[in-house]
């Protein structure tokens, strides 16, 4: 269990039609700028990693997205994870070939769990990040596919355990209830995941102020915190955030 490592701060860029976008609860998207420029700026100002998600990864858009991944890889010197429309091994090869360090799978893994086994046996666990979009409904936490559009019968905690058993090296958990609302992360669920699983858990959904990051590390026990709009729109600067966390006893890079 590597829970003593320095905590990571990870900006997330949701890409639609070549632009960075951000919404609330997965809808009402607005533009947040050029992804390559944003990535380079984050790399320079202390982000530990980047996550890129092609949120409308239709077949036609893949070529454009791959070219953008190549441009980003040339402009940054930190690890980055790419996801969206990863359905088979050839998608993983294409994105790693374009310069991604890790690949994120989500809907395709729920439809075909053995995809995780295939990726990890071929490229290693460290390449496979399993993204889980879940919502707390009246009957508990359920996983959703298709960018949060479709509920599955898979329960969050048992699915997270299964993907780790299949070899996923990290879990990226987004609480749909908290996404873009800016009132804090889903710390209770995060704490349970972090205590249950032997791999790093990345928290996503809910960052609104610096104290939310402190809470997600102290209460949610997350290994990394991912956010989008607070970084994209200049509400929180990464150097200030890292200073604040360090002052409050959190080990950061």
């Amino acid at each position: 269990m590597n829970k003593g490592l320095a905590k990571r701060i990870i900006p997330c860029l949701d890409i639609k039609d070549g632009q960075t976008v951000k919404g609330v609860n997965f809808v009402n998207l607005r533009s947040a700028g050029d992804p390559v420029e944003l990535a380079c700026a984050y790399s320079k100002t202390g982000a530990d990693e980047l996550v890129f998600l092609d949120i409308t990864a239709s077949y036609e858009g893949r070529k454009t997205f791959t070219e953008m991944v190549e441009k980003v890889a040339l402009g940054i010197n930190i690890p980055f994870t790419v996801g969206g429309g990863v359905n088979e091994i050839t998608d993983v090869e294409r994105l790693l070939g374009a310069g991604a360090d890790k690949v994120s799978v989500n809907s395709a893994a729920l439809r075909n769990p053995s995809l995780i086994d295939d990726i990890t046996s071929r490229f290693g666990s460290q390449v496979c990040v399993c993204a889980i979009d879940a919502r707390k409904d009246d009957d508990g936490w359920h996983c959703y596919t298709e960018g949060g559009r479709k509920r599955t019968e898979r329960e969050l905690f048992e699915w997270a355990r299964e993907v780790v058993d299949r070899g996923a090296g990290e879990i990226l958990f987004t609480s749909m209830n908290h996404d873009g609302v800016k009132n804090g992360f889903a710390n209770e669920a995060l704490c349970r995941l972090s205590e249950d699983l032997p791999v790093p858990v990345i928290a996503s959904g809910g960052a609104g102020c610096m104290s939310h990051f402190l809470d997600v590390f102290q209460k949610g026990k997350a290994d990394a915190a991912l956010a989008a709009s607070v970084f994209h729109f200049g509400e929180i600067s990464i150097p200030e955030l890292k200073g604040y966390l360090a002052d409050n006893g959190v080990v950061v890079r």
Side-chain angles (χ1 to χ4, degrees):
M1 190 81 66
N2 53 358
K3 304 293 182 183
L5 296 174
K7 304 298 189 183
R8 290 171 286 152
I9 302 296
I10 306 177
C12 179
L13 290 86
D14 290 336
I15 313 298
K16 180 174 189 269
D17 305 327
Q19 284 294 303
T20 312
V21 294
K22 185 59 200 138
V24 176
N25 300 128
F26 284 49
V27 293
N28 302 326
L29 302 175
R30 60 177 172 147
S31 175
D34 177 74
V36 181
E37 285 173 21
L38 276 171
C40 294
Y42 288 137
S43 181
K44 288 189 180 83
T45 55
D48 298 304
E49 295 186 21
L50 292 174
V51 168
F52 270 72
L53 298 173
D54 185 350
I55 60 169
T56 53
S58 65
Y59 183 72
E60 299 77 31
R62 288 193 177 177
K63 189 166 185 298
T64 317
F65 186 66
T66 307
E67 285 165 1
M68 194 198 69
V69 170
E70 287 171 348
K71 286 181 188 157
V72 169
L74 290 171
I76 66 174
N77 58 3
I78 53 176
F80 84 120
T81 299
V82 180
V86 176
N87 295 306
E88 52 196 18
I89 287 289
T90 51
D91 296 324
V92 179
E93 285 174 341
R94 175 172 52 81
L95 293 170
L96 294 176
D101 297 285
K102 303 181 231 184
V103 170
S104 162
V105 290
N106 188 338
S107 300
L110 278 156
R111 287 192 298 267
N112 171 27
S114 64
L115 177 63
I116 296 169
D117 308 68
D118 295 344
I119 294 170
T120 55
S121 62
R122 178 122 177 220
F123 303 106
S125 286
Q126 77 286 349
V127 162
C128 184
V129 177
C130 189
I132 302 176
D133 297 333
R135 193 170 80 187
K136 192 174 188 182
D137 297 324
D138 292 339
D139 57 347
W141 283 97
H142 279 268
C143 301
Y144 279 70
T145 59
E146 320 305 333
R149 294 178 190 86
K150 193 172 167 190
R151 177 175 146 141
T152 72
E153 286 315 300
R154 300 307 298 257
E155 191 269 341
L156 167 63
F157 301 101
E158 57 93 12
W159 173 238
R161 166 55 64 186
E162 178 175 334
V163 301
V164 171
D165 288 345
R166 288 178 178 275
E170 279 184 293
I171 298 287
L172 166 53
F173 163 54
T174 302
S175 164
M176 292 171 60
N177 310 71
H178 295 73
D179 175 67
V181 184
K182 299 188 178 180
N183 57 7
F185 292 89
N187 291 320
E188 204 175 305
L190 282 159
C191 181
R192 186 171 159 192
L193 286 169
S194 294
E195 288 177 343
D196 279 358
L197 304 173
V199 302
V201 174
I202 304 167
S204 165
C209 61
M210 292 203 278
S211 65
H212 292 155
F213 288 88
L214 185 63
D215 287 344
V216 82
F217 293 134
Q218 291 183 338
K219 296 175 186 167
K221 297 189 163 67
D223 298 274
L226 177 145
S229 51
V230 290
F231 296 143
H232 301 340
F233 301 116
E235 293 159 44
I236 295 176
S237 88
I238 292 173
E240 279 177 41
L241 173 59
K242 286 191 162 183
Y244 165 81
L245 291 169
D247 289 346
N248 283 278
V250 175
V251 180
V252 289
R253 294 181 179 182

